[in-house]
């Protein structure tokens, strides 16, 4: 079995207890989020968070952000897996990708927590996610992602290369395997922020990844 930083293993073990409790309360599994920022990085590894129907929103729905401290919207490339991934062969993960699309994630960066172990244990800032349609193709290189707030482009950035994104999924497969879990058929994986902006109550937010599609949410009290 692959060994990982014991601090990351402890943080994921704590997070997975909450994940299993959420599933036990009636939510269903959607997949995983990948965190590649400095605030969630433990050693040289990316971070993993879980996604369930408890925080899944349909396109055009409202996220109710009352009491949030520092809301941000992330435009991200999303993958959908067509089959299970062998946890002993993370390289199998790239071949398992059956669909690609756009995701809009809402996160709350308010402190605390502000140390990486606590951030991962608390599901890597995650609050909500919405997906656009998936298409059976690899993302082309050279795409730019945009976030529009109230009809205006607030920020844009290039989408990482397809091979880099697939490498992140492979890393996730390896980490999950080390924790006794695996990527499964039907899992949706959001691969890390392409571009991020601050949002507040009353905003209408659109994540636009060009040929990969677009998806919107509103921020409500």
């Amino acid at each position: 079995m692959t060994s990982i930083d014991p601090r990351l293993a402890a943080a994921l073990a704590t997070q997975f207890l909450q994940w299993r409790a959420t599933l036990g309360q009636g939510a269903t599994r959607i997949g995983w989020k990948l965190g590649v920022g400095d605030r969630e990085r433990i050693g040289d590894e990316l971070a993993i968070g879980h996604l369930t129907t408890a925080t899944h929103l349909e396109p055009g729905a409202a996220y109710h952000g009352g009491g949030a401290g520092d809301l941000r919207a992330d435009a991200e490339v999303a993958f959908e897996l067509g089959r299970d991934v062998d946890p002993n062969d993370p390289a199998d993960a790239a071949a398992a990708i059956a669909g690609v699309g756009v995701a809009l994630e809402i996160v709350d960066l308010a402190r605390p927590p502000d140390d990486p172990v606590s951030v991962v244990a608390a599901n890597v800032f995650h609050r909500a996610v919405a997906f656009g349609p998936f298409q059976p193709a690899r993302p082309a290189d050279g795409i730019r992602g945009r976030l529009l707030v109230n009809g205006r482009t607030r920020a844009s950035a290039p989408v990482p290369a397809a091979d880099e994104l697939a490498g992140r999924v492979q890393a996730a497969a390896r980490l999950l395997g080390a924790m006794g879990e695996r990527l499964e058929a039907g899992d949706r994986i959001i691969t890390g922020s392409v571009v991020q902006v601050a949002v507040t109550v009353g905003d209408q937010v659109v994540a636009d990844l060009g040929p990969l599609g677009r998806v919107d949410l509103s921020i409500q009290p």
Side-chain angles (χ1 to χ4, degrees):
M1 178 178 291
T2 300
S3 63
I4 63 174
D5 189 306
R7 298 170 299 164
L8 178 57
L12 288 173
T14 299
Q15 181 199 132
F16 289 178
L17 287 175
Q18 181 57 51
W19 172 54
R20 295 185 184 102
T22 301
L23 296 176
Q25 293 164 3
T28 56
R29 171 179 177 145
I30 287 180
W32 306 95
K33 67 163 289 180
L34 309 184
V36 296
D38 291 340
R39 285 183 65 185
E40 60 262 31
R41 186 173 295 279
I42 299 174
D44 295 327
E45 304 283 8
L46 53 72
I48 300 175
H50 61 270
L51 305 176
T52 74
T53 53
T55 60
H56 175 240
L57 298 174
E58 294 297 327
Y63 171 73
H64 296 280
D70 188 8
L71 284 184
R72 307 294 175 96
D74 289 354
E76 307 193 29
V77 176
F79 290 131
E80 190 168 55
L81 300 185
R83 56 181 171 82
D84 292 358
V85 174
D86 181 352
N88 297 313
D89 182 16
D92 187 46
I97 295 170
V100 60
V102 58
L104 175 56
E105 185 186 20
I106 304 299
V107 296
D108 187 353
L109 302 187
R111 295 174 171 84
D114 199 31
D115 66 280
V117 170
S118 297
V119 167
V120 173
N123 206 27
V124 200
F125 307 115
H126 177 74
R127 294 296 179 268
V129 65
F131 297 94
F134 286 84
Q135 52 188 286
R138 282 171 59 94
D141 293 339
I143 296 173
R144 288 191 69 84
R146 297 189 301 154
L147 277 167
L148 296 85
V149 180
N150 302 324
R152 295 177 177 270
T153 299
R154 181 77 64 81
S156 67
V159 172
D163 287 345
E164 178 181 344
L165 294 174
R168 294 179 188 178
V169 178
Q170 291 173 350
R174 179 177 59 82
L175 292 176
L176 287 170
M179 296 299 298
E181 301 292 342
R182 68 166 63 199
L183 296 175
E184 296 183 355
D187 277 351
R188 294 180 173 186
I189 304 167
I190 56 176
T191 56
S193 176
V194 173
V195 62
Q196 182 183 88
V197 299
V199 292
T200 190
V201 170
D203 284 342
Q204 185 76 25
V205 188
V206 179
D208 185 343
L209 296 187
L212 299 184
R214 55 195 286 157
V215 60
D216 68 294
L217 291 172
S218 64
I219 311 299
Q220 299 296 332

